[in-house]
Amino acid sequence: MTQRQAEEIAYKWHYPGEYSFYDMEADEEDLEEFLDADQRGDDYYVVEKNDQLIGFFNFHQKQNGKVEIGLGMKPECTGKGRGLDFLRAGLELAIKTYCPSAVTLSVAAFNKRAIRLYQKAGFVVVGTFIQNTNGGSYDFVSMEWNPRE
């Protein structure tokens, strides 16, 4: 991910309604990290179609052989039935790049649409937790996917 791409995502991607929770500008700490090339490192990848930025993935390799994945789709691309193919592309990249024993992710508990998508892809719920972010405390769901199943 280039700096220009990070800035486009951070400042131009605005989600409607309750999904505005995922706007990069909603949390100053997350925004600062996202915009800092040193903190992003080589763990952020963009997805483009016809030279248009449509999404991104980030990967964080854990000590236990697992990889934590983060992702985002351009707001105009969400809710159109493209999420499963998008997610599978990211999982393929994670497998090729990291050979993980499992892939984990966390999602806000209110985001039922994303949770259904992750379950459709084979993720299972492994726990819940409360996270301080975006100026408050929110319930999150931890999920895991085993690439060998």
Side-chain angles (χ1 to χ4, degrees):
M1 177 182 293
T2 67
Q3 187 64 28
R4 181 194 59 76
Q5 291 165 328
E7 289 174 9
E8 178 180 335
I9 292 166
Y11 297 125
K12 295 183 179 176
W13 287 18
H14 298 286
Y15 298 90
E18 67 183 347
Y19 298 106
S20 66
F21 177 85
Y22 292 105
D23 290 358
M24 286 290 172
E25 295 170 300
D27 186 288
E28 287 183 30
E29 190 174 304
D30 290 344
L31 177 63
E32 183 179 315
E33 179 181 323
F34 191 78
L35 291 175
D36 185 324
D38 290 333
Q39 289 187 59
R40 275 195 324 273
D42 295 328
D43 297 329
Y44 281 76
Y45 300 83
V46 296
V47 179
E48 294 181 312
K49 185 174 184 180
N50 301 326
D51 294 324
Q52 294 294 313
L53 183 60
I54 62 166
F56 71 90
F57 291 96
N58 70 294
F59 304 98
H60 179 70
Q61 194 156 20
K62 303 284 193 169
Q63 300 258 345
N64 58 7
K66 296 179 181 183
V67 168
E68 184 175 12
I69 187 173
L71 60 139
M73 263 184 113
K74 189 173 189 174
E76 295 83 357
C77 297
T78 63
K80 296 184 164 82
R82 300 177 187 152
L84 189 57
D85 287 339
F86 178 77
L87 176 59
R88 285 180 175 154
L91 293 173
E92 286 177 26
L93 180 59
I95 291 168
K96 281 184 193 176
T97 307
Y98 300 97
C99 300
S101 60
V103 177
T104 64
L105 60 79
S106 299
V107 58
F110 77 82
N111 194 346
K112 304 298 184 200
R113 181 172 73 181
I115 293 169
R116 282 191 304 272
L117 171 70
Y118 300 144
Q119 289 173 324
K120 194 172 187 179
F123 280 83
V124 295
V125 174
V126 294
T128 60
F129 63 96
I130 296 173
Q131 170 122 1
N132 293 326
T133 187
N134 296 25
S137 296
Y138 297 91
D139 293 326
F140 277 78
V141 176
S142 298
M143 302 183 80
E144 186 169 298
W145 175 75
N146 184 332
R148 291 158 189 82
E149 289 183 5

